[in-house]
Amino acid sequence: MKDSEILERIGRGDERVLDHLYKKYYRMMTKIVLSNNGTEDEAKDVYQEALLAFWQKAASGKLVLTSKISTYLYSICLNQWRKELDRKSRLSSETVDGEEHQTHDAKERLKIVMECIGELGDVCKNVLTHYYFDGMGMQEIAKKMNFANTDTAKTKKYKCKKKLDSLIKSKYTTEDFFD
Amino acid sequence: MTKLTQEQIDNYHSGRMNESEMADFENLLESDPAMKSESNLQSDIVSGLKEYRKNQLKSRLDAIDVGPTWMEFAQQSVLMKSMGGVIIASIIGTGIYLYGERMEVLSTAELATVEALEVESIEFVWDLGEEEAESNNSLEKPEQITDQASKKIAEAVPQIEEQSDVVNEEVTAIANNDSEKTEVFKPVFEAPDAESVEDDAEFSATDLDKLSESSDNAADEQPIDVQTELSKGNKIRYKYYDGKLFLNGDFDKAPYEILEINSARDRRIYVYHLGSYYKVDIADKLTELPKVTNPDVISELKLLRENK
């Protein structure tokens, strides 16, 4: 598969391309971490994060690729692992209490949001995640999800989002969120 | 709150604003506490949706088997060592098969390239028929094998060089490739060590350019790399990824044949063994080779096989 074809298929939200890429570059990318004091799990994490960052950019059409996909992925992995090594060395020298407290709150809120998303139906989940994570346009979403047309996708997205908002608002207490 | 601001908040958090719109929005937000808290809520929701999708895609990736890890490879080779002579004997047998293959490839490659002008064609076909009897004998007399094998190496190498001068680019590629393979498998004969078989080219090929180049060409000229392991029983098991095929089956009784059908878009690989055709798909775990049942495909393969 050529890089241009891969990008075009990602634009349509074709996840099989993700599988294909994942397999194809697994050894190459995990080696970056493995040969730089990383474990197999860390290597996998870094690679997955990098691949999903690439996917997200490519799916939303924001990616202007000036090199091969493999080169691009390689540089993301390399940067991510450098960052992680940096973070590790900082963690061992100092811990910031305030920061930790804040992330705890954020974690709690994220948990509530995730639970609410879990309560939605599959169609809503897919429409919303395709819109917000993959950054897909209404036209692509309509095609991918077999909606009659773009308007149906828009309506679905609007209704699903409203439902999710109200679910979350009902679970968020004022202290939880409205500071 | 008007619908417009709701939409603006949505666009802001879903990354659908340009830089100046974002700056305007952020300014506006500072002067409107109600809007700010709504925006914070939306920020949470969007982060949640992103996280949700990320987890979904990650578990999809986790379900993909990427092949044995380094540890598993090490364990496998230790296991093979401990099984001792029997395995080594069969590896030697396998090695002779592979040498036979290589020589066959060279002789059929020239012929196949002539036919390979149509979009869908056989790149090459190899047949182990002639080598079969020999390797059966050699399994019983291990000392002889080494002699035979080194003779074969001596014969094969000049043949490779000779041929690559004469034939066209495509065949040269195959020949070079084969001489590479010859090097990879050489240790099997010099020192029958199970570990050297495991030491496959895949791991050395992790260099950036080399890998991306070979994968770009995956659909065209590169022939697949085959490694075999003999086992009793009538099932053929296999692994196939990164252009490397491992076959595990009872090839003592009858040889196998590989049929590659290359077209502009994809490459299909089939194995012929004892009157049946099998389809090779990407598989990282040792899997039983599925038989082809579609009569159309079978007749197509028959045609290709008999016309080789």
Side-chain angles (χ1 to χ4, degrees), chain B residues 68-138:
Chain B
T69 60
W70 301 98
M71 279 303 284
E72 281 163 355
F73 253 99
Q75 278 164 5
Q76 266 179 27
S77 46
V78 169
L79 188 79
M80 284 187 79
K81 255 192 227 163
S82 66
M83 286 172 84
V86 182
I87 294 286
I88 290 171
S90 56
I91 286 168
I92 293 169
T94 311
I96 287 180
Y97 266 42
L98 292 168
Y99 275 96
E101 263 168 43
R102 243 162 262 129
M103 292 169 72
E104 285 295 314
V105 171
L106 285 175
S107 50
T108 49
E110 199 174 46
L111 197 118
T113 334
V114 181
E115 300 166 354
L117 292 167
E118 295 141 0
V119 183
E120 217 178 90
S121 60
I122 316 176
E123 191 93 328
F124 64 89
V125 172
W126 58 57
D127 190 341
L128 301 172
E130 290 163 29
E131 301 299 324
E132 188 202 357
E134 207 176 306
S135 57
N136 275 341
N137 291 341
S138 54

Coordinates of all heavy atoms in Angstrom, one line a residue, chain B residues 68-138:
Chain B
P68 N 6.1 -13.3 17.9 CA 6.7 -13.6 19.2 C 7.6 -12.5 19.7 O 8.2 -11.8 18.9 CB 7.5 -14.9 18.9 CG 7.6 -14.9 17.5 CD 6.5 -14.2 16.9
T69 N 7.6 -12.3 21.0 CA 8.5 -11.3 21.6 C 9.9 -11.9 21.6 O 10.1 -13.1 21.4 CB 8.1 -10.9 23.0 OG1 8.1 -12.1 23.8 CG2 6.7 -10.3 23.0
W70 N 10.9 -11.1 22.0 CA 12.3 -11.5 22.1 C 12.4 -12.7 23.0 O 13.1 -13.7 22.8 CB 13.2 -10.4 22.6 CG 13.1 -9.2 21.7 CD1 12.4 -8.1 21.8 CD2 13.8 -9.1 20.4 NE1 12.6 -7.2 20.8 CE2 13.4 -7.8 19.9 CE3 14.7 -9.8 19.7 CZ2 13.9 -7.3 18.7 CZ3 15.2 -9.4 18.5 CH2 14.8 -8.1 18.0
M71 N 11.7 -12.6 24.2 CA 11.7 -13.7 25.2 C 11.2 -15.0 24.6 O 11.8 -16.0 24.8 CB 10.9 -13.3 26.4 CG 11.6 -12.3 27.3 SD 13.1 -13.0 27.9 CE 12.5 -14.2 29.1
E72 N 10.1 -14.9 23.9 CA 9.5 -16.1 23.3 C 10.4 -16.7 22.3 O 10.5 -17.9 22.3 CB 8.1 -15.7 22.7 CG 7.0 -15.6 23.7 CD 5.8 -14.9 23.2 OE1 5.9 -14.4 22.0 OE2 4.9 -14.8 23.9
F73 N 11.1 -15.9 21.6 CA 12.0 -16.4 20.6 C 13.2 -17.1 21.3 O 13.5 -18.2 20.9 CB 12.6 -15.3 19.7 CG 12.1 -15.3 18.4 CD1 11.0 -14.4 18.0 CD2 12.5 -16.1 17.4 CE1 10.5 -14.4 16.8 CE2 12.0 -16.2 16.1 CZ 11.0 -15.3 15.8
A74 N 13.6 -16.6 22.4 CA 14.7 -17.2 23.1 C 14.3 -18.5 23.7 O 15.0 -19.5 23.6 CB 15.2 -16.3 24.2
Q75 N 13.1 -18.5 24.2 CA 12.5 -19.8 24.8 C 12.4 -20.8 23.7 O 12.7 -22.0 23.9 CB 11.2 -19.5 25.4 CG 11.3 -18.9 26.8 CD 10.0 -18.3 27.3 OE1 9.0 -18.4 26.6 NE2 10.0 -17.7 28.5
Q76 N 11.9 -20.4 22.6 CA 11.7 -21.3 21.5 C 13.1 -22.0 21.1 O 13.1 -23.2 20.9 CB 11.2 -20.6 20.2 CG 9.7 -20.7 20.1 CD 9.3 -19.9 18.9 OE1 10.0 -19.8 17.9 NE2 8.0 -19.5 19.0
S77 N 14.1 -21.2 21.1 CA 15.4 -21.8 20.6 C 16.0 -22.7 21.7 O 16.6 -23.7 21.4 CB 16.4 -20.7 20.2 OG 16.4 -19.7 21.2
V78 N 15.7 -22.3 23.0 CA 16.2 -23.2 24.1 C 15.5 -24.5 24.0 O 16.0 -25.6 24.1 CB 15.9 -22.6 25.4 CG1 16.1 -23.6 26.6 CG2 16.8 -21.4 25.6
L79 N 14.2 -24.5 23.7 CA 13.4 -25.7 23.6 C 13.9 -26.5 22.5 O 14.0 -27.7 22.6 CB 11.9 -25.3 23.3 CG 10.9 -26.4 23.3 CD1 10.5 -26.7 24.8 CD2 9.7 -26.0 22.6
M80 N 14.2 -25.9 21.4 CA 14.7 -26.7 20.2 C 16.0 -27.3 20.5 O 16.2 -28.5 20.2 CB 14.8 -25.7 19.0 CG 13.5 -25.4 18.4 SD 13.6 -24.5 16.9 CE 14.0 -25.8 15.8
K81 N 16.9 -26.6 21.2 CA 18.2 -27.2 21.6 C 18.0 -28.5 22.4 O 18.6 -29.5 22.2 CB 19.0 -26.2 22.4 CG 20.1 -25.6 21.6 CD 20.9 -24.8 22.6 CE 21.2 -23.4 22.0 NZ 21.7 -22.5 23.1
S82 N 17.1 -28.3 23.4 CA 16.9 -29.4 24.4 C 16.3 -30.6 23.7 O 16.4 -31.7 24.2 CB 16.0 -29.0 25.5 OG 14.7 -28.7 25.1
M83 N 15.6 -30.4 22.6 CA 15.0 -31.6 21.9 C 16.1 -32.4 21.1 O 15.8 -33.5 20.6 CB 13.9 -31.2 21.0 CG 12.7 -30.8 21.9 SD 11.4 -30.1 20.9 CE 10.6 -31.6 20.3
G84 N 17.3 -31.8 21.0 CA 18.4 -32.5 20.5 C 18.4 -33.0 19.1 O 17.9 -32.3 18.2
G85 N 19.0 -34.2 19.0 CA 19.4 -34.7 17.7 C 18.3 -34.8 16.7 O 18.5 -34.5 15.5
V86 N 17.1 -35.2 17.1 CA 16.0 -35.4 16.2 C 15.7 -34.2 15.4 O 15.6 -34.1 14.2 CB 14.7 -35.9 17.0 CG1 13.6 -36.2 16.0 CG2 15.0 -37.1 17.8
I87 N 15.6 -33.1 16.2 CA 15.2 -31.8 15.6 C 16.4 -31.4 14.7 O 16.1 -30.9 13.6 CB 15.1 -30.7 16.7 CG1 13.8 -31.1 17.6 CG2 15.0 -29.4 16.1 CD1 12.5 -30.8 16.9
I88 N 17.6 -31.5 15.1 CA 18.7 -31.1 14.3 C 18.7 -31.8 13.0 O 18.9 -31.3 11.9 CB 20.1 -31.3 15.1 CG1 20.1 -30.3 16.2 CG2 21.2 -31.1 14.1 CD1 21.3 -30.5 17.2
A89 N 18.4 -33.2 13.1 CA 18.4 -33.9 11.8 C 17.3 -33.4 10.9 O 17.5 -33.2 9.7 CB 18.1 -35.4 12.1
S90 N 16.2 -33.0 11.5 CA 15.1 -32.5 10.6 C 15.4 -31.2 10.1 O 15.1 -30.8 9.0 CB 13.7 -32.6 11.3 OG 13.8 -31.8 12.5
I91 N 16.2 -30.4 10.8 CA 16.6 -29.1 10.4 C 17.5 -29.2 9.2 O 17.4 -28.5 8.2 CB 17.2 -28.3 11.5 CG1 16.1 -27.8 12.5 CG2 18.0 -27.0 10.9 CD1 16.7 -27.2 13.7
I92 N 18.4 -30.2 9.3 CA 19.3 -30.4 8.2 C 18.5 -30.8 7.0 O 18.8 -30.3 5.9 CB 20.4 -31.5 8.6 CG1 21.3 -31.0 9.7 CG2 21.2 -31.9 7.4 CD1 22.2 -32.0 10.3
G93 N 17.6 -31.7 7.2 CA 16.7 -32.1 6.1 C 16.0 -30.8 5.5 O 16.0 -30.6 4.3
T94 N 15.5 -30.0 6.4 CA 14.8 -28.8 5.9 C 15.8 -27.9 5.1 O 15.4 -27.4 4.1 CB 14.3 -28.0 7.1 OG1 13.6 -28.9 8.0 CG2 13.5 -26.8 6.7
G95 N 17.0 -27.8 5.6 CA 18.0 -27.0 5.0 C 18.2 -27.5 3.5 O 18.3 -26.7 2.6
I96 N 18.3 -28.8 3.4 CA 18.5 -29.3 2.0 C 17.3 -28.9 1.1 O 17.4 -28.6 0.0 CB 18.7 -30.8 2.1 CG1 20.1 -31.0 2.6 CG2 18.6 -31.4 0.7 CD1 20.6 -32.4 2.8
Y97 N 16.1 -29.0 1.7 CA 14.9 -28.6 1.0 C 15.1 -27.2 0.5 O 14.9 -26.8 -0.6 CB 13.7 -28.6 1.9 CG 12.9 -29.9 1.9 CD1 13.5 -31.1 1.8 CD2 11.5 -29.8 1.9 CE1 12.8 -32.2 1.8 CE2 10.8 -31.0 1.9 CZ 11.4 -32.2 1.9 OH 10.7 -33.3 1.8
L98 N 15.5 -26.3 1.4 CA 15.6 -24.9 1.1 C 16.7 -24.7 0.0 O 16.5 -23.9 -0.9 CB 15.9 -24.1 2.4 CG 14.8 -24.1 3.3 CD1 15.2 -23.6 4.7 CD2 13.6 -23.3 2.8
Y99 N 17.8 -25.4 0.1 CA 18.7 -25.3 -1.0 C 18.2 -25.7 -2.3 O 18.4 -25.1 -3.3 CB 20.0 -26.0 -0.7 CG 20.9 -25.2 0.2 CD1 20.9 -25.3 1.6 CD2 21.6 -24.2 -0.4 CE1 21.6 -24.5 2.3 CE2 22.4 -23.3 0.4 CZ 22.4 -23.5 1.8 OH 23.1 -22.7 2.6
G100 N 17.5 -26.8 -2.2 CA 16.8 -27.3 -3.5 C 15.9 -26.2 -4.0 O 16.0 -25.9 -5.2
E101 N 15.1 -25.6 -3.1 CA 14.2 -24.5 -3.5 C 14.9 -23.5 -4.3 O 14.6 -23.0 -5.3 CB 13.7 -23.9 -2.3 CG 12.3 -24.4 -1.9 CD 12.0 -23.9 -0.5 OE1 12.3 -22.7 -0.2 OE2 11.5 -24.7 0.3
R102 N 16.0 -23.0 -3.7 CA 16.8 -21.9 -4.2 C 17.2 -22.2 -5.7 O 17.1 -21.4 -6.5 CB 18.0 -21.6 -3.4 CG 17.8 -20.2 -2.7 CD 18.7 -20.1 -1.6 NE 18.0 -20.4 -0.4 CZ 18.3 -21.2 0.5 NH1 19.4 -21.9 0.4 NH2 17.6 -21.3 1.6
M103 N 17.7 -23.4 -5.8 CA 18.2 -23.7 -7.2 C 17.0 -23.8 -8.1 O 17.1 -23.3 -9.3 CB 19.0 -25.1 -7.1 CG 20.3 -24.9 -6.3 SD 21.0 -26.5 -6.0 CE 21.5 -27.0 -7.6
E104 N 15.9 -24.3 -7.7 CA 14.8 -24.4 -8.5 C 14.3 -23.0 -8.9 O 13.9 -22.8 -10.0 CB 13.6 -25.2 -7.8 CG 13.9 -26.7 -7.7 CD 13.9 -27.3 -9.1 OE1 12.9 -26.9 -9.9 OE2 14.7 -28.1 -9.4
V105 N 14.3 -22.1 -7.9 CA 13.8 -20.8 -8.2 C 14.6 -20.2 -9.3 O 14.1 -19.6 -10.2 CB 13.9 -19.9 -6.9 CG1 13.7 -18.5 -7.2 CG2 13.0 -20.4 -5.8
L106 N 15.9 -20.4 -9.2 CA 16.7 -19.8 -10.2 C 16.4 -20.3 -11.6 O 16.3 -19.5 -12.5 CB 18.2 -20.0 -9.9 CG 18.8 -19.2 -8.8 CD1 20.2 -19.6 -8.4 CD2 18.7 -17.7 -9.1
S107 N 16.2 -21.6 -11.7 CA 16.0 -22.1 -13.0 C 14.6 -21.8 -13.5 O 14.4 -21.6 -14.7 CB 16.2 -23.6 -13.0 OG 15.5 -24.2 -12.0
T108 N 13.6 -21.6 -12.6 CA 12.3 -21.3 -13.1 C 12.0 -19.8 -13.2 O 11.2 -19.4 -13.9 CB 11.2 -21.9 -12.2 OG1 11.5 -21.5 -10.9 CG2 11.0 -23.4 -12.3
A109 N 12.9 -19.0 -12.5 CA 12.6 -17.6 -12.5 C 12.7 -17.0 -13.9 O 11.8 -16.2 -14.3 CB 13.7 -16.9 -11.6
E110 N 13.7 -17.4 -14.7 CA 13.8 -16.9 -16.0 C 12.6 -17.1 -16.8 O 12.0 -16.3 -17.5 CB 15.0 -17.5 -16.7 CG 15.5 -16.7 -17.9 CD 16.8 -17.3 -18.4 OE1 16.8 -18.6 -18.5 OE2 17.8 -16.6 -18.6
L111 N 12.1 -18.4 -16.7 CA 10.9 -18.8 -17.5 C 9.7 -18.0 -17.0 O 8.9 -17.6 -17.8 CB 10.8 -20.3 -17.1 CG 9.9 -21.1 -18.1 CD1 10.7 -22.2 -18.7 CD2 8.7 -21.7 -17.2
A112 N 9.6 -17.9 -15.7 CA 8.4 -17.2 -15.2 C 8.3 -15.8 -15.5 O 7.2 -15.2 -15.8 CB 8.4 -17.4 -13.6
T113 N 9.4 -15.1 -15.6 CA 9.4 -13.7 -15.9 C 8.9 -13.4 -17.3 O 8.2 -12.4 -17.6 CB 10.8 -13.1 -15.9 OG1 11.6 -13.9 -15.0 CG2 10.8 -11.7 -15.4
V114 N 9.1 -14.4 -18.2 CA 8.6 -14.2 -19.5 C 7.1 -14.2 -19.5 O 6.4 -13.4 -20.2 CB 9.1 -15.3 -20.5 CG1 8.6 -15.2 -21.9 CG2 10.6 -15.4 -20.4
E115 N 6.5 -15.0 -18.6 CA 5.0 -15.1 -18.6 C 4.5 -14.0 -17.7 O 3.3 -13.7 -17.8 CB 4.6 -16.4 -17.9 CG 5.1 -17.6 -18.7 CD 4.9 -18.9 -17.9 OE1 4.6 -18.8 -16.7 OE2 5.1 -20.0 -18.4
A116 N 5.3 -13.4 -16.9 CA 4.9 -12.4 -15.9 C 4.5 -11.1 -16.4 O 4.6 -10.1 -15.7 CB 5.9 -12.3 -14.8
L117 N 4.2 -10.9 -17.7 CA 4.0 -9.6 -18.3 C 2.5 -9.1 -18.0 O 2.3 -7.9 -18.0 CB 4.3 -9.6 -19.8 CG 5.8 -9.8 -20.1 CD1 6.0 -10.1 -21.5 CD2 6.6 -8.6 -19.6
E118 N 1.6 -10.0 -17.8 CA 0.2 -9.6 -17.6 C 0.2 -9.0 -16.2 O 1.0 -9.3 -15.4 CB -0.7 -10.7 -17.7 CG -0.8 -11.3 -19.1 CD -0.9 -12.8 -19.1 OE1 -0.9 -13.4 -18.0 OE2 -1.0 -13.4 -20.2
V119 N -1.0 -8.3 -15.9 CA -1.1 -7.7 -14.6 C -1.1 -8.8 -13.5 O -0.4 -8.7 -12.5 CB -2.4 -6.9 -14.5 CG1 -2.5 -6.2 -13.2 CG2 -2.4 -5.9 -15.6
E120 N -1.9 -9.8 -13.7 CA -1.9 -10.8 -12.7 C -1.2 -12.1 -13.2 O -1.6 -12.6 -14.3 CB -3.4 -11.2 -12.4 CG -3.6 -11.5 -10.9 CD -5.0 -11.8 -10.6 OE1 -5.4 -13.0 -10.7 OE2 -5.7 -10.9 -10.3
S121 N -0.1 -12.4 -12.6 CA 0.6 -13.5 -13.1 C 1.4 -14.2 -12.0 O 1.5 -13.7 -10.9 CB 1.6 -13.0 -14.1 OG 2.4 -12.0 -13.5
I122 N 2.0 -15.3 -12.3 CA 2.8 -16.0 -11.3 C 4.2 -15.4 -11.4 O 4.8 -15.3 -12.4 CB 3.0 -17.5 -11.6 CG1 1.7 -18.1 -11.9 CG2 3.6 -18.2 -10.4 CD1 1.8 -19.5 -12.3
E123 N 4.7 -14.9 -10.3 CA 6.0 -14.4 -10.3 C 7.0 -15.5 -10.4 O 7.9 -15.5 -11.2 CB 6.3 -13.6 -9.0 CG 7.5 -12.8 -9.0 CD 7.3 -11.4 -9.5 OE1 6.4 -11.2 -10.3 OE2 8.0 -10.5 -9.0
F124 N 6.9 -16.5 -9.5 CA 7.7 -17.7 -9.7 C 7.0 -18.8 -8.9 O 6.2 -18.6 -8.1 CB 9.1 -17.5 -9.2 CG 9.2 -17.2 -7.7 CD1 9.3 -18.3 -6.8 CD2 9.1 -15.9 -7.3 CE1 9.4 -18.0 -5.5 CE2 9.2 -15.7 -5.9 CZ 9.3 -16.7 -5.0
V125 N 7.4 -20.0 -9.3 CA 6.8 -21.2 -8.7 C 8.0 -22.1 -8.4 O 8.9 -22.2 -9.2 CB 5.9 -21.9 -9.6 CG1 5.4 -23.2 -9.1 CG2 4.7 -21.0 -10.0
W126 N 8.0 -22.6 -7.3 CA 9.1 -23.6 -7.1 C 8.6 -25.0 -6.7 O 7.5 -25.1 -6.1 CB 10.2 -23.1 -6.2 CG 9.8 -22.7 -4.8 CD1 9.1 -23.5 -3.9 CD2 10.0 -21.5 -4.2 NE1 8.9 -22.8 -2.8 CE2 9.4 -21.5 -2.9 CE3 10.6 -20.3 -4.6 CZ2 9.5 -20.5 -2.0 CZ3 10.6 -19.3 -3.7 CH2 10.1 -19.4 -2.5
D127 N 9.3 -26.0 -7.1 CA 8.8 -27.3 -6.9 C 10.0 -28.1 -6.3 O 11.1 -28.0 -6.7 CB 8.5 -27.9 -8.3 CG 7.8 -29.2 -8.2 OD1 7.9 -29.8 -7.1 OD2 7.2 -29.6 -9.2
L128 N 9.6 -28.9 -5.3 CA 10.7 -29.6 -4.6 C 10.8 -31.0 -5.0 O 11.5 -31.8 -4.4 CB 10.5 -29.5 -3.1 CG 10.4 -28.1 -2.6 CD1 10.0 -28.0 -1.2 CD2 11.8 -27.4 -2.8
G129 N 10.0 -31.4 -6.0 CA 9.9 -32.8 -6.3 C 11.2 -33.6 -6.4 O 11.3 -34.6 -5.8
E130 N 12.2 -33.0 -7.1 CA 13.4 -33.7 -7.3 C 14.2 -33.9 -6.0 O 15.0 -34.8 -5.9 CB 14.2 -33.0 -8.4 CG 13.6 -33.1 -9.7 CD 14.2 -32.1 -10.7 OE1 15.4 -31.7 -10.4 OE2 13.5 -31.6 -11.6
E131 N 14.0 -33.0 -5.1 CA 14.9 -33.0 -3.9 C 14.4 -34.0 -2.9 O 15.0 -34.3 -1.9 CB 15.0 -31.6 -3.3 CG 15.6 -30.6 -4.3 CD 17.0 -31.0 -4.7 OE1 17.7 -31.5 -3.9 OE2 17.3 -30.7 -5.9
E132 N 13.1 -34.4 -3.1 CA 12.5 -35.1 -2.0 C 13.2 -36.4 -1.6 O 13.5 -36.6 -0.5 CB 11.0 -35.4 -2.5 CG 10.2 -36.0 -1.4 CD 9.0 -36.7 -2.0 OE1 8.9 -36.7 -3.2 OE2 8.3 -37.3 -1.2
A133 N 13.4 -37.2 -2.6 CA 14.0 -38.5 -2.4 C 15.4 -38.3 -1.7 O 15.7 -39.0 -0.7 CB 14.2 -39.2 -3.7
E134 N 16.1 -37.4 -2.1 CA 17.4 -37.2 -1.6 C 17.4 -36.8 -0.1 O 18.1 -37.3 0.7 CB 18.1 -36.0 -2.3 CG 19.6 -36.1 -2.3 CD 20.1 -35.0 -3.2 OE1 19.7 -34.9 -4.4 OE2 20.9 -34.2 -2.7
S135 N 16.5 -35.9 0.2 CA 16.4 -35.5 1.6 C 15.9 -36.6 2.5 O 16.2 -36.7 3.7 CB 15.6 -34.2 1.8 OG 14.4 -34.4 1.3
N136 N 15.1 -37.5 2.0 CA 14.6 -38.6 2.8 C 15.8 -39.5 3.1 O 15.9 -39.9 4.3 CB 13.6 -39.5 1.9 CG 12.2 -38.9 2.1 OD1 12.0 -38.2 3.0 ND2 11.4 -39.3 1.2
N137 N 16.7 -39.8 2.2 CA 17.9 -40.5 2.4 C 18.7 -39.8 3.5 O 19.2 -40.4 4.4 CB 18.7 -40.7 1.2 CG 18.0 -41.6 0.2 OD1 17.1 -42.3 0.6 ND2 18.3 -41.5 -1.1
S138 N 18.9 -38.6 3.2 CA 19.8 -37.9 4.1 C 19.4 -37.8 5.5 O 20.3 -37.7 6.4 CB 20.1 -36.5 3.5 OG 18.9 -35.8 3.4

